[in-house]
Amino acid sequence: TQPALLHGPMDHDNLNTPARWILSGCAAAGRAIMTLTRSTACAESIVYVEPKNPETKQVQVIDPLSTNTKRQILMAGYGFGLSIFSPMANLYQVRALYPSVKPILAQPGMAVRLCASIYPQQVLLRIMQVNLSTPVKDHMSPWMAFGVLGVLQGGVYGHANINFARKLDIDRKVNLAMMFRGSGFAACRDMISQGVPFMVSDSLKARSSSSSESSLVASAKHWGAFLGCSVMSTYMSQGLHNCQTAMQTHNEMTHVGAIRSMIREHGVRFLWKGAEARVGLLIITNIFNEIFLKPVWNGHV
């Protein structure tokens, strides 16, 4: 018999609703293209048994999206979405650490132009970031993966910080070869700021829900606890983030020198200086982790 042109099986019980909608929409587009072109070159053939009725006859289906394609769609969603917010948060933190740039940023449209000018590169860097860190998670551990993710994310932040430092006259000697400066700070930062919410989210979900509650109440409790954890972990790691920013915006600063510079300029406040912008970004980042990254890392697609 001719294989059925269907949307292949996904882990619907564990796949979150936004990811399921995105993949279902892409699969529908794929089916339409395959029907028009009568081609299944990019599809994946699967022997499929209806999970709710396993006694039914096995059928061969053509999934218009291969497993790898689904993973790349979710990673692309992560990159395109997060890169809208990340440069704005970087620019806010640079402004908080270096008040001398405020008159330049006060010019109409300057902040938007600065962020828009690096958006395409930021998207590509973020997609590369999650693709490179995923094998680490698969073969080692999520904690190690978030350490690697932090180093790579430090490069993404570094790309933005270096562009801003040059265009805002903070230090014109910096260049893109310095993107990964302060990697020690970056690895520790993201193990705390992203690793903690990611690793405890399932536990929070189990503890915050009960069988007697409606799904809406259970979901609200879960996301409330999850976002609270995100805020706490962001403040815990802000000092590390500020130290890396200092290294990336000054071409000769060392790890120890960055700590000394932050203490000298801001005192103990460097531990939370500019955290309000990063709280917003990390909440968005951790939501994106739940929607886009978790289905990939937990094998739900």
Side-chain angles (χ1 to χ4, degrees), residues 4-204:
L5 183 56
L6 301 171
H7 178 42
M10 290 186 292
D11 190 348
H12 283 274
D13 290 337
N14 291 309
L15 194 63
N16 62 73
T17 301
R20 188 165 60 247
W21 286 348
I22 291 167
L23 293 178
S24 296
C26 292
R31 287 197 299 275
I33 293 170
M34 289 165 61
T35 301
L36 288 173
T37 61
R38 299 180 182 276
S39 171
T40 60
C42 299
E44 191 173 76
S45 180
I46 305 168
V47 175
Y48 179 50
V49 177
E50 174 59 45
K52 294 182 180 179
N53 189 9
E55 295 181 358
T56 56
K57 184 179 177 181
Q58 292 184 353
V59 295
Q60 184 183 16
V61 301
I62 299 297
D63 189 343
L65 302 177
S66 67
T67 299
N68 187 57
T69 301
K70 293 173 187 172
R71 292 163 69 98
Q72 292 303 321
I73 288 170
L74 292 178
M75 289 181 183
Y78 181 91
F80 276 96
L82 202 52
S83 296
I84 295 172
F85 304 99
S86 180
M88 293 188 289
N90 273 97
L91 188 58
Y92 181 91
Q93 288 159 22
V94 167
R95 179 179 177 275
L97 293 176
Y98 305 105
S100 61
V101 306
K102 289 181 180 180
I104 301 175
L105 291 176
Q107 298 175 24
M110 174 60 72
V112 174
R113 290 197 299 272
L114 285 174
C115 294
S117 68
I118 63 172
Y119 179 76
Q121 303 97 304
Q122 289 277 295
V123 171
L124 290 175
L125 288 170
R126 285 204 175 274
I127 294 174
M128 290 171 59
Q129 169 195 1
V130 290
N131 270 282
L132 290 172
S133 58
T134 296
V136 179
K137 184 267 174 189
D138 290 341
H139 296 97
M140 298 182 74
S141 75
W143 289 111
M144 187 65 69
F146 274 109
V148 173
L149 194 71
V151 172
L152 296 173
Q153 183 146 292
V156 179
Y157 288 154
H159 171 263
N161 288 333
I162 288 166
N163 275 280
F164 295 155
R166 293 167 65 179
K167 292 176 181 178
L168 296 174
D169 291 324
I170 296 172
D171 188 341
R172 288 189 171 272
K173 296 179 183 178
V174 295
N175 56 71
L176 292 179
M178 300 164 56
M179 280 173 55
F180 291 97
R181 295 195 76 215
S183 293
F185 291 131
C188 295
R189 175 198 63 212
D190 275 37
M191 288 176 72
I192 297 170
S193 64
Q194 294 191 64
V196 170
F198 186 93
M199 295 299 288
V200 306
S201 65
D202 288 340
S203 175
L204 288 173

Side-chain angles (χ1 to χ4, degrees), residues 275-286:
E276 57 275 13
R278 197 162 152 263
V279 163
L281 176 62
L282 259 294
I283 288 175
I284 294 169
T285 298
N286 287 328

